[in-house]
Amino acid sequence: MDARGHPPVSAEPQLIRPGRRLPEWIKVRVSEGENYQELKKLVADQRLHTVCEEAQCPNIYDCWNRRTATFMILGAVCTRACRFCAVTSGRPTELDITEPLRVAESVERLGLRHAVITSVDRDDLRDGGAEIFARTIRAIKRRSPGTTVEVLTPDFAGNLEAVTAVVEAQPDIYNHNTETVPRLYPSIRPKAVYANSLGLLRHVKRLRPEMVTKSGVMVGLGETVEELLDVFRNMRAHDIDVLTVGQYLRPTRKHAEVQRFYHPDEFAALKQQALAMGFRHVEAGALVRSSYHADEQVPTPGQKLLAG
């Protein structure tokens, strides 16, 4: 234990050699149950994209069997090429103005209690796709007034007017991922600006102080733990409520190498230190992703967000 009673966290990365097997604590359970098959068919029938599929999320079987999914709007081609992301990068050609209605219909048919909407980066659009986000939120709330909505938006290239358009549609949670520590942005997230990511979420709080804000980071890219803790402190200084911390897993050999696998005890330590900084809810673990247990992070009327 350290001076504050927290378990120790190793501060230096341990290089993971190419070809090394995943640690025994990183296991993905494959189970294509009835709910998984039904949701897969619905997504295909409605011509929708999900980040679960496009980003090769390890939790797809768990989430889809629980009838939860993260819908990815604005097409499946991203204008950026972040070195951690499995989503296809290139020059998008798709912009479907009927997409918000099809997403809302799918949410209604699934009977979702909580819907998560994300997108690729669309730097080719003047507003980065903010208007489609807003239309999607409003369409879901019209058809499923009892469903809470979380958005996981890109940074809109620092365009705060675009952020305002999304906030005015009144999602219940506004999520934007910081992804990694500032030192690694040039190599891992070259077209993004660390200050823009934090400033975006501060802008959300200034517009709607009651709106839950959320951000996430990956570990294992070569950061030190002290750098991670500095990011957590910066997040709290920008009034971010919810934090997710997960292990980076290399999608292909073209992507950045994993420099280190964090042990479950280290994730537990990071969670405790983050909670001590004042986050209202923290999810930390090897397979944690932005939408992991997202439905548990929305307070019901009259309740506080659980710090767990």
Side-chain angles (χ1 to χ4, degrees):
M1 294 290 182
D2 63 17
R4 293 190 297 173
H6 297 145
V9 181
S10 175
E12 296 303 325
Q14 176 185 351
L15 184 64
I16 299 300
R17 303 298 177 188
R20 177 174 170 177
R21 292 183 179 180
L22 292 176
E24 61 180 8
W25 59 82
I26 301 181
K27 294 180 180 179
V28 178
R29 182 180 178 184
V30 178
S31 176
E32 297 187 7
E34 182 179 343
N35 287 339
Y36 174 91
Q37 296 293 343
E38 181 182 356
L39 203 154
K40 188 176 181 68
K41 184 177 185 303
L42 177 63
V43 167
D45 289 347
Q46 293 288 77
R47 306 187 317 281
L48 297 173
H49 302 288
T50 68
V51 75
C52 319
E53 297 170 300
E54 304 295 338
Q56 302 177 21
C57 180
N59 300 314
I60 185 170
Y61 301 103
D62 178 31
C63 291
W64 283 25
N65 280 317
R66 291 171 52 195
R67 302 183 73 84
T68 64
T70 300
F71 296 96
M72 191 170 78
I73 60 176
L74 297 167
V77 178
C78 185
T79 53
R80 301 188 187 180
C82 297
R83 294 202 61 228
F84 62 85
C85 186
V87 174
T88 301
S89 62
R91 186 173 297 177
T93 59
E94 183 177 349
L95 184 62
D96 184 355
I97 61 173
T98 69
E99 188 173 47
L101 296 177
R102 289 186 286 108
V103 171
E105 181 181 343
S106 298
V107 169
E108 182 182 33
R109 286 174 60 181
L110 286 168
L112 299 184
R113 184 166 63 92
H114 184 70
V116 183
I117 311 300
T118 190
S119 79
V120 292
D121 280 280
R122 291 297 301 263
D123 295 324
D124 58 312
L125 302 176
R126 183 181 59 82
D127 70 346
E131 180 58 30
I132 299 297
F133 263 102
R135 291 182 186 181
T136 303
I137 296 164
R138 293 187 178 109
I140 292 171
K141 288 185 173 287
R142 279 195 302 269
R143 296 191 68 135
S144 305
T147 300
T148 50
V149 179
E150 175 176 333
V151 291
L152 170 56
T153 74
D155 62 13
F156 298 121
N159 181 353
L160 294 184
E161 290 183 3
V163 178
T164 299
V166 177
V167 171
E168 288 179 346
Q170 299 187 38
D172 298 278
I173 293 182
Y174 198 118
N175 185 3
H176 171 71
N177 285 333
T178 310
E179 305 292 11
T180 188
V181 302
R183 177 175 58 83
L184 296 179
Y185 264 54
S187 60
I188 299 299
R189 204 179 175 210
K191 291 187 178 181
V193 178
Y194 178 71
N196 284 351
S197 288
L198 291 177
L200 180 159
L201 291 166
R202 171 172 278 177
H203 183 67
V204 173
K205 276 294 189 184
R206 286 173 175 168
L207 293 173
R208 292 287 172 87
E210 75 284 359
M211 188 172 288
V212 175
T213 53
K214 176 178 174 181
S215 192
V217 296
M218 299 169 291
V219 298
L221 285 162
E223 72 291 331
T224 67
V225 169
E226 190 51 45
E227 285 178 310
L228 278 176
L229 296 178
D230 281 343
V231 170
F232 296 175
R233 294 182 191 104
N234 288 340
M235 288 180 178
R236 287 301 303 132
H238 287 71
D239 297 322
I240 294 171
D241 300 306
V242 177
L243 170 67
T244 58
V245 185
Q247 173 71 51
Y248 167 65
L249 298 176
R250 190 183 191 187
T252 72
R253 289 187 175 272
K254 295 180 180 179
H255 291 81
E257 289 186 19
V258 177
Q259 298 299 312
R260 178 184 171 198
F261 290 110
Y262 281 58
H263 188 272
D265 290 346
E266 295 182 287
F267 281 111
L270 288 170
K271 176 175 179 176
Q272 290 306 311
Q273 293 190 44
L275 288 172
M277 293 177 191
F279 285 98
R280 296 166 63 187
H281 188 98
V282 178
E283 293 281 356
L287 296 181
V288 167
R289 298 296 182 265
S290 297
S291 303
Y292 186 73
H293 291 175
D295 55 329
E296 299 175 6
Q297 298 161 19
V298 184
T300 56
Q303 288 185 329
K304 293 182 178 179
L305 194 65
L306 295 177

